[in-house]
Amino acid sequence: MSYLPLYFKLVGAGVRAQLQYRFAFFMRIIGLITAYAGMAATMWVMLYRFDALGGWTFYEMLFLLALAVVSWGCCITVFFHFKSLDTYIVNGTFDRFLVRPIHPFFHFMSMKFDIGAVGQFIFSIVVFLWVSMAIDIDWSVWKVLFLLSTIIGGVLIQGGMLVIISALAFWTTKSEQFYWVAMYPARNLTNYPLVIYPKLVQMITAFIVPFGFVNYFPSTVILGKETPYFPDFVGFLSPLVGVVFFLLAYWLWMSGLSRYKSTGS
Amino acid sequence: MPIIEVNNINKDFMVAKRETGFLGSVRSLFKREFIKKEAVKDISFSIEKGEMVGYIGPNGAGKSTTIKMLTGILVPSSGTIKVNGIVPYEQRQKNASNIGVVFGQRTQLWWDLPTIESFELLKEIYQVSDARYKQNMEIYQEILGLDEFLNTPVRQLSLGQRMRADIAASLLHDPPILFLDEPTIGLDVVAKEKMRTFIQEINRERKVTVILTTHDMEDIEKLCNRMVLIDHGQKVYDGDISAVKERFGKIRTLVVDVENGEATFDIVGAEVVKREANRVWLQFNRDEISASELIGRITQTHSIKDLTVEEPAIESIISRIYQEGFEEKLVSV
Ligand SMILES: Nc1ncnc2c1ncn2[C@@H]1O[C@H](COP(=O)(O)OP(=O)(O)OP(=O)(O)O)[C@@H](O)[C@H]1O
Ligand SMILES: [Mg+2]
């Protein structure tokens, strides 16, 4: 069976379901844009006094933020509901994914498609354009391709993290909580250049929770910045890291699922 | 050859002492205390194509756990299962296209979407051909009266409507086997009746093999020829239903609210078993006196403010079976 057309059909249903709650939908988009604009404003205020933070100027930091926001936007569109797997397990609705003749990971993934992320896209496109003009980034074809592959890598890294958090529900019946306690703060770290953090934190975001590859390392390539402690090519590794990390997450999720099949909870 | 074969299956759950709070969940990742819970113990049975089997037992007996093993959701701790020649937990996806499943307690439909959309999505998931889909939808619409709510979102359906939609959905792909876990739970009398007629029809017309669990003896009486009775995970009876019905299905209880709770009832075939304020419980044997006769007799001398007829609960049948040593005489192993 070909999963791609089926994915669009299932996802289409998810979108129509989401649009049943129009008010909540629009409020969320507005809320997100406002929140990110607020974050950008904070950066501006901070850098108004210091000119640069860890060698990063206001516009460079905006670029960093926009890159994080755009790949997070894509990521939550496809994967955000993974963090709520615990609810499905606890109220028993997860079983339905196991009595259907399609792959359960695929089925679960296609349950939702969060178009509310357009807020993220609007914000990041505006910022990319603004920054490109302000600091004259010259967008060659290669740079654009590099940016796109980086975004894909970032989506896979963050999506992988959501899948890992989701998988924890198979062992603990909790996942949403792990998202708010672990992933949410870790992700927020990456809104600023990692160079401002202690070496240990930088190592963790490179090798353990590889959020550094979502925006920081690739941005250093585009903006031509130094990466202390890391070789120069590190910024090119995002897609590779993304694929490996996501496969690892998928494997963990499937192991969790086979555990679920013997425990039922 | 039997369509379902179950040999000596066991299902043990290791129940963790759950910790509370977030730190508790973190801790429970590393270290937990377990208690072994034997939900299903050494159960075997085989079911022929076209049979309709009632799988019953009190709360916590292991009915849903068995169904989950048959559908491939759970892996048995030991023992073997074959459903239509397939081991469900090894080839779960393949098994899924051979079976229809309804869990009465929760819907399989898309909660926020008009009901018709769930059918359309399931058509894609199960790869039902256009022709087959159209044909099946017509039949189900007619018998189950789906038209009246096809455009209503599932979350706005009444329980009865939702259950009808759910069972139709489980049969879209013409599965030869249907598992129904409490398909009549929470339905009113009319809705129950509709549901039963439908189940009967698809069993008769399409030779669909049906296993259903229920707490309503009437479902069993009206639908099944055979029942498998389990208690505490073990099979206590497997066989003809008429024998059980004969013996236990006849005793009913009429609960009446009268003006005077002290009132006496002198009616042959009925006896007062309980009183509470102005409410009186009268047990009667259906063979000796019908409910309507009994009510008629009571109204001659008392004015009834309210009444209900209680069926013998499955739990009470099981406890009677224990008390009266039913199994020795009837278990056909
Ligand atoms: N995932 C699980 N983890 C631990 N124990 C479980 C799990 N699922 C079921 N049990 C236990 O196994 C036993 C059998 O449960 P099951 O749901 O099969 O009962 P049932 O016969 O369907 O009952 P009911 O009539 O109430 O639906 C119960 O004691 C239940 O608490
Ligand atoms: Mg049950």
Side-chain angles (χ1 to χ4, degrees):
Chain A
M1 180 189 339
S2 165
Y3 271 2
L4 201 63
L6 184 59
Y7 180 72
F8 286 113
K9 286 200 173 110
L10 288 170
V11 144
V15 171
R16 284 196 298 282
Q18 193 181 9
L19 286 178
Q20 301 246 319
Y21 304 94
R22 266 167 240 264
F23 182 72
F25 173 72
F26 286 115
M27 285 318 284
R28 229 186 94 218
I29 294 176
I30 293 168
L32 281 169
I33 294 180
T34 321
Y36 284 116
M39 214 180 273
T42 315
M43 281 179 183
W44 184 79
V45 170
M46 234 158 42
L47 291 172
Y48 185 74
R49 303 238 356 233
F50 301 107
D51 279 343
L53 188 64
W56 287 60
T57 66
F58 171 64
Y59 286 112
E60 289 168 340
M61 282 181 55
L62 263 191
F63 183 87
L64 190 72
L65 178 65
L67 188 52
V69 172
V70 73
S71 72
W72 180 238
C74 298
C75 172
I76 61 173
T77 310
V78 182
F79 297 110
F80 205 43
H81 60 290
F82 268 87
K83 76 175 185 349
S84 314
L85 178 65
D86 53 354
T87 324
Y88 287 80
I89 290 180
V90 170
N91 63 28
T93 39
F94 184 70
D95 286 348
R96 86 166 72 150
F97 299 101
L98 299 176
V99 294
R100 303 235 170 99
I102 53 176
H103 195 283
F105 183 87
F106 166 80
H107 195 359
F108 189 71
M109 185 171 99
S110 53
M111 267 320 268
K112 286 217 172 116
F113 190 83
D114 188 354
I115 49 169
V118 288
Q120 267 99 339
F121 296 127
I122 295 172
F123 173 84
S124 47
I125 287 168
V126 169
V127 172
F128 274 134
L129 292 176
W130 179 23
V131 172
S132 301
M133 285 188 294
I135 54 176
D136 276 332
I137 300 178
D138 128 57
W139 287 106
S140 64
V141 177
W142 286 115
K143 264 193 186 155
V144 172
L145 286 180
F146 172 77
L147 186 71
L148 289 179
S149 70
T150 294
I151 292 172
I152 292 170
V155 171
L156 289 174
I157 289 167
Q158 297 176 99
M161 203 61 216
L162 283 169
V163 170
I164 289 173
I165 280 173
S166 170
L168 293 180
F170 289 125
W171 280 276
T172 64
T173 68
K174 300 263 160 54
S175 53
E176 186 97 33
Q177 291 184 357
F178 288 108
Y179 170 77
W180 291 110
V181 173
M183 184 166 175
Y184 182 76
R187 232 185 54 73
N188 277 340
L189 283 183
T190 63
N191 290 335
Y192 294 93
L194 292 179
V195 68
I196 65 170
Y197 300 115
K199 188 178 171 190
L200 178 69
V201 176
Q202 293 191 44
M203 290 296 161
I204 290 175
T205 50
F207 298 112
I208 298 172
V209 184
F211 284 167
F213 291 94
V214 173
N215 59 344
Y216 173 68
F217 294 132
S219 297
T220 60
V221 173
I222 291 182
L223 303 171
K225 316 279 306 176
E226 297 279 304
T227 45
Y229 316 126
F230 299 100
D232 286 343
F233 65 84
V234 74
F236 292 94
L237 297 180
S238 297
L240 181 68
V241 172
V243 169
V244 172
F245 191 69
F246 192 83
L247 286 176
L248 210 72
Y250 170 76
W251 170 81
L252 191 74
W253 201 88
M254 291 306 288
S255 327
L257 180 64
S258 62
R259 194 198 121 91
Y260 174 84
K261 289 206 263 174
S262 59
T263 59
S265 56
Chain B
M1 207 192 80
I3 194 163
I4 296 176
E5 270 182 286
V6 173
N7 288 309
N8 311 97
I9 51 164
N10 284 279
K11 183 68 205 179
D12 302 330
F13 290 114
M14 299 308 281
V15 187
K17 279 174 64 184
R18 281 265 150 73
E19 313 234 13
T20 49
F22 176 72
L23 280 180
S25 340
V26 173
R27 207 173 325 134
S28 70
L29 264 178
F30 304 101
K31 171 184 150 293
R32 277 198 281 187
E33 285 174 61
F34 292 98
I35 306 156
K36 187 162 134 186
K37 164 101 209 163
E38 297 174 300
V40 168
K41 285 184 254 180
D42 201 32
I43 286 185
S44 304
F45 54 81
S46 70
I47 292 171
E48 296 295 328
K49 187 163 171 41
E51 267 194 281
M52 176 123 70
V53 179
Y55 197 68
I56 59 180
N59 289 129
K63 303 181 294 296
S64 301
T65 306
T66 312
I67 301 280
K68 283 182 187 172
M69 288 192 276
L70 291 168
T71 51
I73 295 172
L74 290 177
V75 187
S77 309
S78 65
T80 58
I81 302 177
K82 276 217 164 154
V83 175
N84 212 10
I86 290 173
V87 180
Y89 49 88
E90 282 173 1
Q91 288 181 278
R92 201 189 43 72
Q93 277 170 244
K94 199 163 169 214
N95 185 50
S97 40
N98 286 332
I99 61 170
V101 192
V102 175
F103 291 107
Q105 310 262 24
R106 49 190 95 94
T107 183
Q108 312 252 4
L109 308 173
W110 278 252
W111 194 242
D112 284 321
L113 293 175
T115 312
I116 184 72
E117 293 216 28
S118 289
F119 288 99
E120 278 160 8
L121 290 168
L122 288 169
K123 170 183 184 290
E124 300 302 327
I125 290 176
Y126 286 96
Q127 304 225 279
V128 182
S129 72
D130 292 344
R132 204 80 196 92
Y133 175 73
K134 199 160 163 268
Q135 195 181 347
N136 277 344
M137 282 305 279
E138 267 165 28
I139 297 171
Y140 301 150
Q141 279 186 28
E142 192 182 310
I143 318 180
L144 291 167
L146 304 180
D147 324 34
E148 45 173 297
F149 55 82
L150 274 181
N151 293 314
T152 313
V154 174
R155 65 171 191 287
Q156 290 170 8
L157 297 185
S158 75
L159 193 57
Q161 293 172 328
R162 204 216 77 205
M163 212 74 101
R164 278 185 271 160
D166 249 308
I167 195 167
S170 73
L171 288 165
L172 267 189
H173 57 293
D174 292 314
I177 303 164
L178 180 61
F179 296 106
L180 303 170
D181 194 357
E182 308 197 33
T184 56
I185 191 169
L187 302 191
D188 70 34
V189 195
V190 182
K192 270 186 183 167
E193 206 45 57
K194 266 193 201 157
M195 187 58 90
R196 288 176 192 137
T197 314
F198 181 71
I199 297 171
Q200 214 155 28
E201 199 133 326
I202 54 119
N203 172 254
R204 209 172 36 218
E205 306 286 314
R206 305 186 165 204
K207 300 284 165 284
V208 174
T209 310
V210 181
I211 297 193
L212 71 98
T213 81
T214 181
H215 289 287
D216 186 340
M217 269 313 271
E218 222 170 309
D219 289 345
I220 304 290
E221 281 181 79
K222 297 222 163 114
L223 293 175
C224 309
N225 301 315
R226 173 179 168 196
M227 100 181 180
V228 175
L229 192 64
I230 60 164
D231 190 22
H232 291 102
Q234 279 170 314
K235 190 166 93 171
V236 293
Y237 177 75
D238 180 352
D240 200 352
I241 226 152
S242 49
V244 184
K245 222 158 60 173
E246 205 33 46
R247 192 139 172 181
F248 302 105
K250 292 184 287 201
I251 311 290
R252 306 267 157 127
T253 311
L254 175 72
V255 187
V256 283
D257 287 358
V258 287
E259 259 154 19
N260 176 9
E262 308 292 305
T264 53
F265 299 86
D266 197 14
I267 300 164
V268 181
E271 69 176 309
V272 175
V273 288
K274 194 174 155 192
R275 288 173 191 276
E276 220 170 68
N278 286 347
R279 184 165 290 183
V280 182
W281 280 258
L282 285 147
Q283 209 173 57
F284 64 100
N285 187 323
R286 225 172 32 166
D287 280 357
E288 289 169 33
I289 188 166
S290 73
S292 57
E293 243 179 287
L294 178 59
I295 294 163
R297 292 284 300 278
I298 297 172
T299 42
Q300 283 170 13
T301 43
H302 305 283
S303 76
I304 297 178
K305 284 194 271 176
D306 198 3
L307 65 86
T308 46
V309 179
E310 285 179 356
E311 313 237 316
I314 203 89
E315 284 81 1
S316 82
I317 288 192
I318 284 173
S319 66
R320 274 154 166 272
I321 286 174
Y322 279 145
Q323 283 161 21
E324 300 182 23
F326 192 73
E327 43 195 313
E328 279 158 42
K329 276 177 250 163
L330 276 165
V331 166
S332 50
V333 185

